[in-house]
Amino acid sequence: TEQNTPPPDSWAADPENDVAVLRIVIKPGGKMVLPRANKGEEGVNRTMYLLDGLDGIEVDGTVVQQKVCMTLDATKDVSLELPREAEVATEFLVLQGRPIDEPVAQHGPFVMNTQQEIRRAFYDYQQTQFGGWPWERDDMIFPPEKGRFALLDGKEFRPEDSMQQKAVEEEKKTESQKLKDFDERKTACDGK
């Protein structure tokens, strides 16, 4: 969908770079094949993180029972199978793409090209919190039903095509309609 389309000038927007970010959930008794990268060429990195569910998932026939980070060969398919006896689903995060071939400097939450850029990012954050942080906490978390939004000049803006936002709005309409229907039935019963 358009919602998942990378910015047009980003590395990820170029199909030659074969960038993918996948969340995979295998339910008990489930199996699937993670196909090779689109290009199927050497030089594409693929890493798979087992995030949750340690009930003996098989990755290409090898049983994995701990949270791990696996470097996969992006030129080959990978089979994933969770035994029927498993009690919970297993969740993976797969990150894939051709390397950017630029220097990378990282410190805390900042990732830049040089240590000088990292120092500048820390300085900018300390001075402005990247333009001002309008909330009372640095680690502010909003409930999922709030959906995606941006705050600009005190006003909230939502992506028009946000599937999550549409689902929340639809659910609110459905709940509102149920209450209205209930009130109408109650009024009709009270009137008898």
Side-chain angles (χ1 to χ4, degrees):
T1 66
E2 190 173 311
Q3 176 181 336
N4 294 322
T5 303
D9 294 329
S10 76
W11 181 259
D14 183 348
E16 291 298 313
N17 296 322
D18 219 346
V19 173
V21 178
L22 309 169
R23 176 180 173 258
I24 299 173
V25 177
I26 309 287
K27 294 180 179 178
K31 50 176 112 167
M32 70 160 286
V33 173
L34 176 62
R36 68 188 181 118
N38 289 332
K39 293 288 179 187
E41 300 171 348
E42 295 288 329
V44 174
N45 294 338
R46 179 183 270 181
T47 304
M48 184 165 70
Y49 300 86
L50 194 158
L51 302 176
D52 204 16
L54 306 174
D55 277 350
I57 185 84
E58 288 186 24
V59 178
D60 271 346
T62 301
V63 176
V64 179
Q65 293 182 307
Q66 61 185 8
K67 291 185 178 183
V68 294
C69 169
M70 296 170 262
T71 301
L72 304 175
D73 181 346
T75 66
K76 297 180 180 168
D77 294 348
V78 176
S79 66
L80 304 170
E81 185 171 353
L82 186 60
R84 203 173 293 286
E85 312 79 61
E87 294 181 21
V88 296
T90 299
E91 181 177 0
F92 294 98
L93 173 65
V94 177
L95 302 176
Q96 167 188 297
R98 190 172 301 286
I100 295 174
D101 290 331
E102 290 184 9
V104 176
Q106 183 269 331
H107 189 93
F110 300 106
V111 179
M112 308 297 263
N113 293 109
T114 67
Q115 286 299 322
Q116 182 179 356
E117 289 174 332
I118 293 287
R119 286 189 294 278
R120 180 64 196 205
F122 269 104
Y123 176 81
D124 290 347
Y125 178 74
Q126 290 166 348
Q127 297 303 306
T128 68
Q129 293 184 321
F130 296 131
W133 188 252
W135 294 283
E136 67 274 5
R137 297 175 49 165
D138 283 343
D139 61 348
M140 194 69 197
I141 298 174
F142 295 96
E145 59 271 7
K146 185 167 178 77
R148 292 177 55 201
F149 73 97
L151 188 65
L152 180 62
D153 296 327
K155 184 176 178 190
E156 289 185 6
F157 294 89
R158 288 179 165 55
E160 293 178 6
D161 63 341
S162 169
M163 297 303 287
Q164 181 180 7
Q165 190 61 33
K166 287 180 182 178
V168 167
E169 289 169 9
E170 192 61 37
E171 188 174 317
K172 284 180 185 175
K173 285 181 191 174
T174 303
E175 289 301 316
S176 176
Q177 186 61 45
K178 286 180 184 176
L179 288 172
K180 185 178 174 186
D181 292 347
F182 175 76
D183 286 343
E184 288 174 1
R185 285 193 304 270
K186 184 176 181 298
T187 303
C189 289
D190 290 345
K192 289 184 179 178

